[in-house]
Amino acid sequence: QKSLHLLSPHQIELAKTLLELGQTHLFEHWAEPGVEDDEKKAFFDQVARLNSSYPGGLESYIKTARELLADSKAGKNPFDGFTPSPHYFLYTLLLNIRIQLWPLIRKADRVWKPRIASFNFMDISQVGDPFVSSRISSSALSWQVPTGDVLTFGDDNFIKFEETGIREAQKAAFVLVAGGLGERLGYNGIKVALPRETNTGTCFLQHYIESILALQEASHSLTQGEVQKKIPFVIMTSDDTHSCIIHLLESNSYFGMEPTQVKLLKQEKVACLDDNEARLAVDPHNKYRIQTKPHGHGDVHSLLYSSGLLNVWRDAGLRWVLFFQDTNGLLFNAIPAAIGVSATRQYHVNSLAVPRKAKEAIGGITRLTHVDGRTMVINVEYNQLDPLLRATGHPDGDVNGETGFSPFPGNINQLILELGPYIEELTKTKGGIKEFVNPKYKDASKTSFKSSTRLECMMQDYPKTLPPTARVGFTVMDTWLAYAPVKNNPDDAAKVPKGNPYHSATSGEMAIYRANSLILRKAGVQVADPVQEVFNGQEVEVWPRVTWKPKWALTYSDIKRKVNGNCSISQRSTMVIKGRNIFVEDLSLDGALVIDAIEDAEVKVGGSVQNKGWILEKVDYKDTSIPEELRIRGFRVEKIEELEKNYSEPGKFSLKP
Ligand code: UGB
């Protein structure tokens, strides 16, 4: 009452609302009127912000929180009434695996089909030659059945999808969700500034931007720019990451992208909750503030909706919106083909997935069937999958199936949405995504929390509100090609059960070299086998350290065009290709080779390159004298000897040592 003169009429309304919503405790420890008035005013500014940034305002937030907290206390399963089952997608996966696994396919036919007998399922015997079909025709399936493609890197199908994807890329906009702090990784900086690999030191954000620019260029030259010249790039930030991302972009001239191409949308945090009554938590460091925490990556939909960008993109003739996460250095290996799948299958929603190991910390894609018959194909988050399975007649919970993988493919949170249907849906929902709450209770009475909680939402829950007619599909790629996130700190990574991926800075970097080596192998290069090494307590395969810029090669066809003859690379080698028009032919590499060239220079690289090369020197992650971004990997590159060439004049050149 005594502070009312400080407030605008709108703020007075908000104060009343807070009192009506049972939030009087927020004012309990306030100083006398006239004391600390600035802080009190700042409190109401914060309340106004929290109110305006949440669809429906604080009233709606508290109401939803009370409902979700009551459900959580009652132990109500968030998927109440739904039973999960692996959908036919995994079956298709088996169908598509090549000849070596044919006996397994037979077995899967025996094992899985009876389990999903209630399904209108195509009999494997009708499919004929599994090497001809890479996809079961959806016409044989009822509408609920999700469709999915399982792609095999480098085969004709893959190449076809990549070509379609490159054509379509000019109609795409990219959205990176980068508001998370990465608590599991425990890195002190922003994750997008971490080197994707330390051979070149290229950070994730630079790699993403260079990949988008390379796509733009490739798409443009294939189609002579039917639609747009620049691919829009949106980055969702938060208070935790916003200023650092701006600094990273500005101090690196946007890594070659035009600043107008990049838009930052900052997500706001939401109010924390102290108890089951949804009493808002007072910030432990300031009694005039409400404690806040991130609301989750699901905010990206409401931010895009309210930004007005979607309509601008539609008017510019765009068709696809691609969402991706902050630290997957392999992602762009999968993008061209995945866009190709979306365009070919006309998917409204296409999620990228990889085979998943049980208990792996990535969501599982399931087909949920409700008791009333409704069916929904959706990601079930890793912490919910096991309890859901146990509660619905699978006493062993989340375990590997016959194939050695979880029957539920892993969601890698790379979504491709068709813009038109996306706008239609958001017009209805205003971008609101189904939320959840995850309180950590003090004891079994579930009456108090160990620490405050808050509502959260996830971007992959977008399909939950879609009508049954929506075309929701999946695209599965090999993990080695498409997925290597950097999420876990060295301690936690070293404790990952044997056989499960580490998802650490160490494994993330090694995965780049492995993927590039395997891609070159597929193109006919003799790449030596890897050796096993232990860094930061994690045993990893060390392949030759091969990297290239996205403008050198984005697709398998690019690689085939640029690598010819008899080439070989020894295990201890390093190869860095930077320029666009570099052609590798009859090269024998045993050492380190770094090669760059301006756009107008065409260079043929061959012959025998032999030198002492670059070695990986082990470092201890606890050794704080070493920069954090290096020690979290457990190694650093020591450059002993290399052949380095930079062609800075236009013309044709040949490098043949
Ligand atoms: N992020 C935000 O932008 N804002 C936020 O408030 C929170 C996060 P995490 P998570 O691919 O490995 C997801 O924390 O949420 C950004 C999927 O839910 O790295 O534990 C953040 O910056 C899961 O199904 O992952 O798990 C980052 O870019 C599985 O796909 C992104 O959101 C898993 O990722 C993801 O945040 C995975």
Side-chain angles (χ1 to χ4, degrees), residues 1 50 60 65 90 96 101 163 182 197 221 293 306 336 354 372 434 436 456 489 571-572 574 586 592-593:
Q1 282 289 328
L50 289 171
S60 161
L90 188 83
N96 282 281
L101 293 183
E163 192 186 321
E197 38 77 22
S221 55
K293 284 189 184 167
S306 58
V354 293
D372 66 10
K434 286 213 175 301
F436 62 96
E456 295 176 73
N489 61 60
Q571 187 279 329
R572 64 177 201 90
T574 300
D586 297 324
L593 171 67

PDB file of all heavy atoms in Angstrom, residues 1 50 60 65 90 96 101 163 182 197 221 293 306 336 354 372 434 436 456 489 571-572 574 586 592-593:
ATOM      1  N   GLN A   1       0.824  -1.197   0.000  1.00  0.00           N
ATOM      2  CA  GLN A   1       0.000   0.000   0.000  1.00  0.00           C
ATOM      3  C   GLN A   1       0.865   1.257   0.000  1.00  0.00           C
ATOM      4  O   GLN A   1       0.623   2.172  -0.775  1.00  0.00           O
ATOM      5  CB  GLN A   1      -0.884  -0.003   1.246  1.00  0.00           C
ATOM      6  CG  GLN A   1      -2.087  -0.929   1.152  1.00  0.00           C
ATOM      7  CD  GLN A   1      -3.123  -0.402   0.179  1.00  0.00           C
ATOM      8  OE1 GLN A   1      -3.273   0.788   0.039  1.00  0.00           O
ATOM      9  NE2 GLN A   1      -3.828  -1.309  -0.494  1.00  0.00           N
ATOM     10  N   LEU A  50       8.205 -10.092 -16.675  1.00  0.00           N
ATOM     11  CA  LEU A  50       7.812 -11.503 -16.555  1.00  0.00           C
ATOM     12  C   LEU A  50       6.381 -11.698 -17.053  1.00  0.00           C
ATOM     13  O   LEU A  50       6.041 -12.708 -17.658  1.00  0.00           O
ATOM     14  CB  LEU A  50       7.909 -11.968 -15.092  1.00  0.00           C
ATOM     15  CG  LEU A  50       9.320 -12.118 -14.528  1.00  0.00           C
ATOM     16  CD1 LEU A  50       9.276 -12.375 -13.022  1.00  0.00           C
ATOM     17  CD2 LEU A  50      10.061 -13.267 -15.222  1.00  0.00           C
ATOM     18  N   SER A  60      -1.571 -16.659 -15.898  1.00  0.00           N
ATOM     19  CA  SER A  60      -1.624 -17.933 -16.617  1.00  0.00           C
ATOM     20  C   SER A  60      -0.451 -18.842 -16.193  1.00  0.00           C
ATOM     21  O   SER A  60      -0.599 -20.056 -16.024  1.00  0.00           O
ATOM     22  CB  SER A  60      -1.579 -17.617 -18.110  1.00  0.00           C
ATOM     23  OG  SER A  60      -1.216 -18.714 -18.834  1.00  0.00           O
ATOM     24  N   ALA A  65       1.279 -23.603 -13.498  1.00  0.00           N
ATOM     25  CA  ALA A  65       2.240 -24.178 -12.557  1.00  0.00           C
ATOM     26  C   ALA A  65       1.516 -24.971 -11.472  1.00  0.00           C
ATOM     27  O   ALA A  65       1.925 -26.079 -11.118  1.00  0.00           O
ATOM     28  CB  ALA A  65       3.080 -23.067 -11.939  1.00  0.00           C
ATOM     29  N   LEU A  90      11.591 -48.203 -36.865  1.00  0.00           N
ATOM     30  CA  LEU A  90      12.763 -49.021 -36.600  1.00  0.00           C
ATOM     31  C   LEU A  90      12.739 -50.238 -37.509  1.00  0.00           C
ATOM     32  O   LEU A  90      13.758 -50.722 -37.984  1.00  0.00           O
ATOM     33  CB  LEU A  90      12.805 -49.459 -35.136  1.00  0.00           C
ATOM     34  CG  LEU A  90      14.132 -50.137 -34.851  1.00  0.00           C
ATOM     35  CD1 LEU A  90      15.193 -49.105 -34.571  1.00  0.00           C
ATOM     36  CD2 LEU A  90      14.026 -51.096 -33.712  1.00  0.00           C
ATOM     37  N   ASN A  96      16.162 -51.427 -44.221  1.00  0.00           N
ATOM     38  CA  ASN A  96      17.095 -50.704 -45.076  1.00  0.00           C
ATOM     39  C   ASN A  96      18.559 -51.049 -44.876  1.00  0.00           C
ATOM     40  O   ASN A  96      19.400 -50.640 -45.645  1.00  0.00           O
ATOM     41  CB  ASN A  96      16.909 -49.203 -44.849  1.00  0.00           C
ATOM     42  CG  ASN A  96      15.684 -48.726 -45.575  1.00  0.00           C
ATOM     43  OD1 ASN A  96      15.735 -48.527 -46.771  1.00  0.00           O
ATOM     44  ND2 ASN A  96      14.586 -48.585 -44.869  1.00  0.00           N
ATOM     45  N   LEU A 101      22.981 -57.674 -42.871  1.00  0.00           N
ATOM     46  CA  LEU A 101      22.031 -57.774 -41.774  1.00  0.00           C
ATOM     47  C   LEU A 101      20.726 -58.459 -42.166  1.00  0.00           C
ATOM     48  O   LEU A 101      19.756 -58.435 -41.422  1.00  0.00           O
ATOM     49  CB  LEU A 101      21.753 -56.386 -41.192  1.00  0.00           C
ATOM     50  CG  LEU A 101      22.950 -55.759 -40.493  1.00  0.00           C
ATOM     51  CD1 LEU A 101      22.582 -54.443 -39.889  1.00  0.00           C
ATOM     52  CD2 LEU A 101      23.486 -56.688 -39.406  1.00  0.00           C
ATOM     53  N   GLU A 163      20.912 -33.601 -53.612  1.00  0.00           N
ATOM     54  CA  GLU A 163      20.773 -32.649 -54.714  1.00  0.00           C
ATOM     55  C   GLU A 163      19.478 -31.850 -54.565  1.00  0.00           C
ATOM     56  O   GLU A 163      19.467 -30.619 -54.723  1.00  0.00           O
ATOM     57  CB  GLU A 163      20.816 -33.381 -56.059  1.00  0.00           C
ATOM     58  CG  GLU A 163      20.980 -32.372 -57.174  1.00  0.00           C
ATOM     59  CD  GLU A 163      20.887 -32.966 -58.560  1.00  0.00           C
ATOM     60  OE1 GLU A 163      21.408 -34.079 -58.775  1.00  0.00           O
ATOM     61  OE2 GLU A 163      20.275 -32.299 -59.419  1.00  0.00           O
ATOM     62  N   GLY A 182      24.582 -24.686 -20.835  1.00  0.00           N
ATOM     63  CA  GLY A 182      25.347 -25.931 -20.904  1.00  0.00           C
ATOM     64  C   GLY A 182      25.871 -26.325 -19.539  1.00  0.00           C
ATOM     65  O   GLY A 182      27.081 -26.498 -19.355  1.00  0.00           O
ATOM     66  N   GLU A 197      36.788 -28.191 -33.608  1.00  0.00           N
ATOM     67  CA  GLU A 197      37.982 -29.054 -33.580  1.00  0.00           C
ATOM     68  C   GLU A 197      39.182 -28.134 -33.408  1.00  0.00           C
ATOM     69  O   GLU A 197      39.108 -26.946 -33.759  1.00  0.00           O
ATOM     70  CB  GLU A 197      38.099 -29.965 -34.821  1.00  0.00           C
ATOM     71  CG  GLU A 197      37.672 -29.348 -36.143  1.00  0.00           C
ATOM     72  CD  GLU A 197      38.691 -28.404 -36.741  1.00  0.00           C
ATOM     73  OE1 GLU A 197      39.883 -28.500 -36.393  1.00  0.00           O
ATOM     74  OE2 GLU A 197      38.300 -27.557 -37.572  1.00  0.00           O
ATOM     75  N   SER A 221      23.909 -21.270 -57.135  1.00  0.00           N
ATOM     76  CA  SER A 221      24.491 -21.556 -58.451  1.00  0.00           C
ATOM     77  C   SER A 221      23.744 -22.689 -59.139  1.00  0.00           C
ATOM     78  O   SER A 221      23.689 -22.747 -60.363  1.00  0.00           O
ATOM     79  CB  SER A 221      25.993 -21.803 -58.377  1.00  0.00           C
ATOM     80  OG  SER A 221      26.259 -22.811 -57.480  1.00  0.00           O
ATOM     81  N   LYS A 293      14.690 -18.592 -13.935  1.00  0.00           N
ATOM     82  CA  LYS A 293      15.522 -19.613 -14.599  1.00  0.00           C
ATOM     83  C   LYS A 293      15.040 -19.767 -16.043  1.00  0.00           C
ATOM     84  O   LYS A 293      13.906 -19.384 -16.367  1.00  0.00           O
ATOM     85  CB  LYS A 293      15.392 -20.953 -13.868  1.00  0.00           C
ATOM     86  CG  LYS A 293      16.170 -21.019 -12.554  1.00  0.00           C
ATOM     87  CD  LYS A 293      16.205 -22.416 -11.969  1.00  0.00           C
ATOM     88  CE  LYS A 293      16.913 -22.397 -10.599  1.00  0.00           C
ATOM     89  NZ  LYS A 293      16.726 -23.626  -9.840  1.00  0.00           N
ATOM     90  N   SER A 306       6.189 -14.035 -32.462  1.00  0.00           N
ATOM     91  CA  SER A 306       5.983 -12.626 -32.117  1.00  0.00           C
ATOM     92  C   SER A 306       6.946 -11.698 -32.856  1.00  0.00           C
ATOM     93  O   SER A 306       6.694 -10.510 -32.989  1.00  0.00           O
ATOM     94  CB  SER A 306       6.091 -12.419 -30.603  1.00  0.00           C
ATOM     95  OG  SER A 306       7.355 -12.858 -30.175  1.00  0.00           O
ATOM     96  N   PRO A 336      21.810 -31.168 -46.120  1.00  0.00           N
ATOM     97  CA  PRO A 336      21.297 -31.175 -47.491  1.00  0.00           C
ATOM     98  C   PRO A 336      20.342 -32.347 -47.754  1.00  0.00           C
ATOM     99  O   PRO A 336      19.238 -32.143 -48.275  1.00  0.00           O
ATOM    100  CB  PRO A 336      22.572 -31.280 -48.346  1.00  0.00           C
ATOM    101  CG  PRO A 336      23.651 -30.700 -47.491  1.00  0.00           C
ATOM    102  CD  PRO A 336      23.292 -31.086 -46.087  1.00  0.00           C
ATOM    103  N   VAL A 354      18.900 -40.493 -34.904  1.00  0.00           N
ATOM    104  CA  VAL A 354      19.995 -41.465 -35.069  1.00  0.00           C
ATOM    105  C   VAL A 354      19.646 -42.681 -34.217  1.00  0.00           C
ATOM    106  O   VAL A 354      18.866 -42.566 -33.265  1.00  0.00           O
ATOM    107  CB  VAL A 354      21.357 -40.890 -34.592  1.00  0.00           C
ATOM    108  CG1 VAL A 354      21.818 -39.753 -35.473  1.00  0.00           C
ATOM    109  CG2 VAL A 354      21.313 -40.449 -33.132  1.00  0.00           C
ATOM    110  N   ASP A 372      -7.977 -43.965 -25.721  1.00  0.00           N
ATOM    111  CA  ASP A 372      -9.123 -43.624 -26.580  1.00  0.00           C
ATOM    112  C   ASP A 372      -8.811 -43.795 -28.068  1.00  0.00           C
ATOM    113  O   ASP A 372      -9.611 -43.447 -28.920  1.00  0.00           O
ATOM    114  CB  ASP A 372      -9.587 -42.190 -26.283  1.00  0.00           C
ATOM    115  CG  ASP A 372      -8.533 -41.146 -26.678  1.00  0.00           C
ATOM    116  OD1 ASP A 372      -7.549 -41.508 -27.336  1.00  0.00           O
ATOM    117  OD2 ASP A 372      -8.705 -39.972 -26.322  1.00  0.00           O
ATOM    118  N   LYS A 434       3.525 -27.069 -25.120  1.00  0.00           N
ATOM    119  CA  LYS A 434       3.138 -27.752 -23.876  1.00  0.00           C
ATOM    120  C   LYS A 434       4.316 -27.768 -22.891  1.00  0.00           C
ATOM    121  O   LYS A 434       5.420 -28.136 -23.252  1.00  0.00           O
ATOM    122  CB  LYS A 434       2.689 -29.180 -24.179  1.00  0.00           C
ATOM    123  CG  LYS A 434       1.321 -29.236 -24.815  1.00  0.00           C
ATOM    124  CD  LYS A 434       0.558 -30.479 -24.399  1.00  0.00           C
ATOM    125  CE  LYS A 434      -0.863 -30.488 -24.935  1.00  0.00           C
ATOM    126  NZ  LYS A 434      -1.686 -29.372 -24.520  1.00  0.00           N
ATOM    127  N   PHE A 436       6.181 -28.480 -18.926  1.00  0.00           N
ATOM    128  CA  PHE A 436       6.292 -29.498 -17.880  1.00  0.00           C
ATOM    129  C   PHE A 436       7.036 -28.886 -16.687  1.00  0.00           C
ATOM    130  O   PHE A 436       7.633 -27.810 -16.802  1.00  0.00           O
ATOM    131  CB  PHE A 436       7.017 -30.752 -18.391  1.00  0.00           C
ATOM    132  CG  PHE A 436       8.429 -30.501 -18.832  1.00  0.00           C
ATOM    133  CD1 PHE A 436       9.500 -30.730 -17.974  1.00  0.00           C
ATOM    134  CD2 PHE A 436       8.707 -30.026 -20.102  1.00  0.00           C
ATOM    135  CE1 PHE A 436      10.807 -30.486 -18.365  1.00  0.00           C
ATOM    136  CE2 PHE A 436      10.011 -29.768 -20.511  1.00  0.00           C
ATOM    137  CZ  PHE A 436      11.058 -30.005 -19.643  1.00  0.00           C
ATOM    138  N   GLU A 456       8.977 -25.520 -17.789  1.00  0.00           N
ATOM    139  CA  GLU A 456       9.913 -25.606 -18.914  1.00  0.00           C
ATOM    140  C   GLU A 456       9.158 -26.063 -20.164  1.00  0.00           C
ATOM    141  O   GLU A 456       8.079 -26.644 -20.069  1.00  0.00           O
ATOM    142  CB  GLU A 456      11.019 -26.624 -18.603  1.00  0.00           C
ATOM    143  CG  GLU A 456      11.913 -26.210 -17.456  1.00  0.00           C
ATOM    144  CD  GLU A 456      12.933 -27.288 -17.124  1.00  0.00           C
ATOM    145  OE1 GLU A 456      13.880 -27.473 -17.903  1.00  0.00           O
ATOM    146  OE2 GLU A 456      12.775 -27.943 -16.075  1.00  0.00           O
ATOM    147  N   ASN A 489      30.835 -32.822 -19.136  1.00  0.00           N
ATOM    148  CA  ASN A 489      32.178 -32.481 -18.659  1.00  0.00           C
ATOM    149  C   ASN A 489      33.013 -33.767 -18.566  1.00  0.00           C
ATOM    150  O   ASN A 489      32.455 -34.876 -18.573  1.00  0.00           O
ATOM    151  CB  ASN A 489      32.089 -31.753 -17.323  1.00  0.00           C
ATOM    152  CG  ASN A 489      31.442 -32.609 -16.263  1.00  0.00           C
ATOM    153  OD1 ASN A 489      31.939 -33.686 -15.936  1.00  0.00           O
ATOM    154  ND2 ASN A 489      30.317 -32.172 -15.735  1.00  0.00           N
ATOM    155  N   GLN A 571      47.531 -42.894 -40.607  1.00  0.00           N
ATOM    156  CA  GLN A 571      46.802 -42.589 -39.364  1.00  0.00           C
ATOM    157  C   GLN A 571      47.333 -41.345 -38.662  1.00  0.00           C
ATOM    158  O   GLN A 571      46.587 -40.588 -38.058  1.00  0.00           O
ATOM    159  CB  GLN A 571      46.861 -43.810 -38.422  1.00  0.00           C
ATOM    160  CG  GLN A 571      45.996 -43.691 -37.179  1.00  0.00           C
ATOM    161  CD  GLN A 571      46.665 -42.860 -36.082  1.00  0.00           C
ATOM    162  OE1 GLN A 571      47.890 -42.847 -35.976  1.00  0.00           O
ATOM    163  NE2 GLN A 571      45.860 -42.166 -35.292  1.00  0.00           N
ATOM    164  N   ARG A 572      48.647 -41.142 -38.732  1.00  0.00           N
ATOM    165  CA  ARG A 572      49.209 -40.014 -37.969  1.00  0.00           C
ATOM    166  C   ARG A 572      49.098 -38.685 -38.735  1.00  0.00           C
ATOM    167  O   ARG A 572      49.603 -37.657 -38.291  1.00  0.00           O
ATOM    168  CB  ARG A 572      50.673 -40.299 -37.604  1.00  0.00           C
ATOM    169  CG  ARG A 572      51.585 -40.419 -38.800  1.00  0.00           C
ATOM    170  CD  ARG A 572      53.038 -40.637 -38.419  1.00  0.00           C
ATOM    171  NE  ARG A 572      53.892 -40.249 -39.543  1.00  0.00           N
ATOM    172  CZ  ARG A 572      54.377 -39.037 -39.741  1.00  0.00           C
ATOM    173  NH1 ARG A 572      54.139 -38.078 -38.874  1.00  0.00           N
ATOM    174  NH2 ARG A 572      55.117 -38.769 -40.799  1.00  0.00           N
ATOM    175  N   THR A 574      47.574 -35.265 -40.756  1.00  0.00           N
ATOM    176  CA  THR A 574      46.624 -34.161 -40.592  1.00  0.00           C
ATOM    177  C   THR A 574      46.425 -33.534 -41.966  1.00  0.00           C
ATOM    178  O   THR A 574      47.409 -33.304 -42.675  1.00  0.00           O
ATOM    179  CB  THR A 574      47.220 -33.074 -39.661  1.00  0.00           C
ATOM    180  OG1 THR A 574      47.478 -33.672 -38.389  1.00  0.00           O
ATOM    181  CG2 THR A 574      46.286 -31.899 -39.497  1.00  0.00           C
ATOM    182  N   ASP A 586      45.681 -38.408 -56.621  1.00  0.00           N
ATOM    183  CA  ASP A 586      46.870 -39.252 -56.431  1.00  0.00           C
ATOM    184  C   ASP A 586      47.783 -38.703 -55.337  1.00  0.00           C
ATOM    185  O   ASP A 586      49.000 -38.582 -55.523  1.00  0.00           O
ATOM    186  CB  ASP A 586      47.660 -39.387 -57.755  1.00  0.00           C
ATOM    187  CG  ASP A 586      46.824 -40.080 -58.829  1.00  0.00           C
ATOM    188  OD1 ASP A 586      46.052 -40.995 -58.468  1.00  0.00           O
ATOM    189  OD2 ASP A 586      46.910 -39.680 -60.000  1.00  0.00           O
ATOM    190  N   ALA A 592      51.614 -33.687 -42.131  1.00  0.00           N
ATOM    191  CA  ALA A 592      50.583 -32.644 -42.087  1.00  0.00           C
ATOM    192  C   ALA A 592      50.594 -31.815 -43.373  1.00  0.00           C
ATOM    193  O   ALA A 592      51.660 -31.428 -43.856  1.00  0.00           O
ATOM    194  CB  ALA A 592      50.802 -31.733 -40.881  1.00  0.00           C
ATOM    195  N   LEU A 593      49.391 -31.568 -43.904  1.00  0.00           N
ATOM    196  CA  LEU A 593      49.237 -30.759 -45.118  1.00  0.00           C
ATOM    197  C   LEU A 593      48.131 -29.741 -44.878  1.00  0.00           C
ATOM    198  O   LEU A 593      47.017 -30.100 -44.504  1.00  0.00           O
ATOM    199  CB  LEU A 593      48.859 -31.680 -46.293  1.00  0.00           C
ATOM    200  CG  LEU A 593      48.442 -31.014 -47.595  1.00  0.00           C
ATOM    201  CD1 LEU A 593      49.612 -30.267 -48.237  1.00  0.00           C
ATOM    202  CD2 LEU A 593      47.891 -32.057 -48.580  1.00  0.00           C
TER     203      LEU A 593
END
